[in-house]
Amino acid sequence: MTDRQAVAVLGSTGSIGVSTLDVIKRNQHRYQVSAITANKNVEQIEAQCVEFQPRYAAMADPLAAEALKRRVSARNLNTTVLLGEGSLNQIAEDPEIPIVMAAIVGFAGLDSTLVAARSGKRILLANKESMVVAGHLLNQAAKDGNATIVPVDSEHNAIFQCLPKENQLGATVSEAREIERLVLTASGGPFRQLSADEMQHVTVEQAVNHPNWDMGPKISVDSATMMNKGLEIIEACFLFGVNEQQIEVLVHPQSIVHSMVRYCDGSVLAQMGESDMRTPIANALAWPQRIDAGVSPLDFKLLAGLEFEAPDMLNFPCLDLARQALRVGKGANVVLNAANEIAVERFIDGQVRFVDIAAVNAYTLTHCESSEPHSVADLKALDMAARSYAEEIITNGQLSVGLA
Ligand code: NAD
Ligand code: MG
């Protein structure tokens, strides 16, 4: 048991975090959970401490961390509780932990992902927002630190699986003449078939209820607006070294084909499977080997026909906003991501309507000043400025006069 690889699960109480712990539990002969982290959920992380006995448990929220410390000590567990935001970085750079699952949601996951990259870890990258806002910096940090980034986002993991080995190891896809395009599939979310009028009245409950995937609230809303697919276009550009014209988006409501690669001889390689994130998590954990993920085998006889259609760009303007941001370059990705994080939060809190999310994103992207971030400090300043801008247009009620 001594040569088991140590894994840190950043964001262990979330949807990806819980699935990661499940995959590790099935493969305890190979992996051990050495560190877990969460924001505020003390009960859940306490239960994880009891079950997995990690060396470290960290909480971003100081009060929650104090509460966890008391509980861990009352139970006499051998886990050290770390306090505050710096503790995530401490775990991400621990030389005794070679594998880091980056499963914090949003911009909040950026610092620890960058630290893991500089520290030469195998990063299982679920936190797509860090690649969206800091693609160049993160790739450079991984290169300098000799880290490996394996995508966990199901589409990117599917593409990763369908690429030639040299491209999995970092060679840029745009230089590979034999690869024509990457095809990202999208379920289309819960509102795929609604009219523009019906979209005006959808509720938070409907938006977080994804037809195929069981996910955290932010990514569920992103899937409903299709901003998720937009973020994934940006993520794919940085992960694989392609430009946005080399990425095609196809709506595939059954979520069985997770994405594809088109080759110059007419071949299309696809990765298929159940809609269960344990498959890409297990792939990222063990690559280039394969391990049990607890996922049911795909039964083709039970599948209805697989459908593919072009996305509806009118009802889902967020998709094109991502392409716009890529074309503009500079800090536009950071601005778009920040606006979207604010708009989604306000929608979940009941302060704006579903359709306002796209409006806030479009308006902030077009009007908020941005310049190329050359450092993490620049990037954080730009993120803060774009958040304030988005907050301001929501508070000032500019939404009601129509923004787009
Ligand atoms: P989630 O909301 O279920 O979990 C988020 C985790 O991050 C929790 O453990 C939470 O405690 C932690 N967290 C939240 N805010 C934090 C903060 N400020 N500081 C430190 N920790 C914080 O989210 P999820 O659905 O598991 O998604 C996680 C990431 O994976 C997201 O970036 C998402 O886009 C990506 N992803 C998720 C799925 C999925 O199926 N859930 C699929 C693909 C990609
Ligand atoms: Mg995805």
Side-chain angles (χ1 to χ4, degrees):
M1 291 291 247
T2 46
D3 55 355
R4 294 186 303 164
Q5 285 188 287
V7 185
V9 184
L10 309 182
S12 65
T13 56
S15 159
I16 293 288
V18 167
S19 294
T20 304
L21 294 177
D22 183 81
V23 173
I24 294 176
K25 201 157 86 180
R26 292 167 190 279
N27 294 277
Q28 285 187 51
H29 53 294
R30 293 180 62 139
Y31 305 104
Q32 62 181 328
V33 179
S34 283
I36 54 181
T37 82
N39 192 21
K40 289 187 178 153
N41 192 332
V42 180
E43 274 81 27
Q44 197 180 351
I45 202 164
E46 181 190 9
Q48 293 177 342
C49 286
V50 171
E51 182 171 1
F52 293 96
Q53 311 260 332
R55 265 174 53 224
Y56 299 112
M59 306 211 77
D61 182 280
L63 286 179
E66 290 295 351
L68 180 67
K69 213 172 193 173
R70 286 192 296 275
R71 292 182 186 207
V72 161
S73 128
R75 285 181 181 272
N76 261 330
L77 297 177
N78 237 346
T79 298
T80 305
V81 176
L82 304 172
L83 304 193
E85 281 179 25
S87 57
L88 298 180
N89 297 349
Q90 187 182 330
I91 288 171
E93 70 189 353
D94 187 321
E96 287 178 27
I97 305 179
I99 305 177
V100 174
M101 162 54 86
I104 291 173
V105 59
F107 193 90
L110 175 63
D111 275 341
S112 49
T113 309
L114 278 169
V115 169
R118 285 188 211 112
S119 312
K121 302 305 168 74
R122 170 181 289 222
I123 302 173
L124 320 185
L125 186 71
N127 175 237
K128 68 187 79 182
E129 294 89 348
S130 58
M131 192 51 99
V132 168
V133 300
H136 291 305
L137 292 173
L138 186 53
N139 283 334
Q140 191 59 49
K143 210 170 167 187
D144 296 344
N146 204 16
T148 307
I149 299 179
V150 189
V152 168
D153 211 349
S154 58
E155 297 77 2
H156 305 72
N157 183 265
I159 288 170
F160 180 83
Q161 293 196 44
C162 297
L163 285 175
K165 183 111 195 240
E166 60 270 23
N167 299 105
Q168 292 179 323
L169 291 170
T172 52
V173 166
S174 54
E175 281 159 25
R177 291 231 186 104
E178 74 271 26
I179 299 172
E180 293 213 315
R181 276 174 151 213
L182 307 182
V183 184
L184 288 178
T185 53
S187 68
F191 307 139
R192 182 174 59 91
Q193 291 172 312
L194 296 193
S195 67
D197 257 7
E198 289 166 324
M199 298 269 276
Q200 302 279 331
H201 308 291
V202 299
T203 63
V204 174
E205 199 187 359
Q206 290 168 321
V208 296
N209 202 354
H210 195 276
N212 305 342
W213 299 93
D214 183 10
M215 310 182 285
K218 194 249 173 188
I219 185 175
S220 298
V221 175
D222 284 347
S223 299
T225 58
M226 289 195 78
M227 189 67 247
N228 182 51
K229 209 50 54 184
L231 296 176
E232 290 183 356
I233 294 175
I234 304 175
E235 181 188 11
C237 285
F238 287 114
L239 269 174
F240 303 119
V242 292
N243 58 50
E244 60 98 10
Q245 288 109 319
Q246 290 170 285
I247 300 176
E248 187 179 329
V249 173
L250 260 187
V251 172
H252 164 49
Q254 293 77 23
S255 299
I256 294 295
V257 174
H258 297 305
S259 277
M260 303 181 262
V261 177
R262 289 185 187 275
Y263 284 88
C264 61
D265 60 0
S267 298
V268 180
L269 298 194
Q271 186 265 346
M272 293 188 265
E274 291 287 341
S275 318
D276 188 326
M277 287 306 293
R278 290 176 301 176
T279 295
I281 290 168
N283 178 266
L285 199 53
W287 176 83
Q289 296 169 354
R290 301 259 178 195
I291 54 173
D292 171 35
V295 176
S296 332
L298 187 60
D299 186 346
F300 285 94
K301 298 183 296 301
L302 295 180
L303 285 182
L306 298 184
E307 297 163 289
F308 299 91
E309 62 194 39
D312 172 349
M313 304 304 281
L314 285 178
N315 262 356
F316 298 97
C318 287
L319 251 184
D320 200 50
L321 293 181
R323 292 196 187 271
Q324 263 182 53
L326 281 165
R327 286 193 295 266
V328 171
K330 302 194 187 115
N333 299 345
V334 181
V335 171
L336 179 59
N337 180 71
N340 185 57
E341 289 196 19
I342 294 295
V344 170
E345 259 175 53
R346 295 293 168 270
F347 168 65
I348 291 175
D349 292 347
Q351 293 168 29
V352 300
R353 298 169 306 161
F354 178 76
V355 288
D356 296 331
I357 298 173
V360 171
N361 292 353
Y363 197 83
T364 310
L365 180 64
T366 324
H367 293 89
C368 177
E369 272 182 40
S370 73
S371 52
E372 177 101 48
H374 294 292
S375 64
V376 180
D378 290 353
L379 204 145
K380 287 184 176 173
L382 183 55
D383 170 75
M384 291 285 280
R387 278 169 199 267
S388 307
Y389 194 92
E391 297 267 19
E392 207 175 300
I393 58 175
I394 293 171
T395 312
N396 290 347
Q398 274 160 281
L399 295 174
S400 54
V401 294
L403 287 173

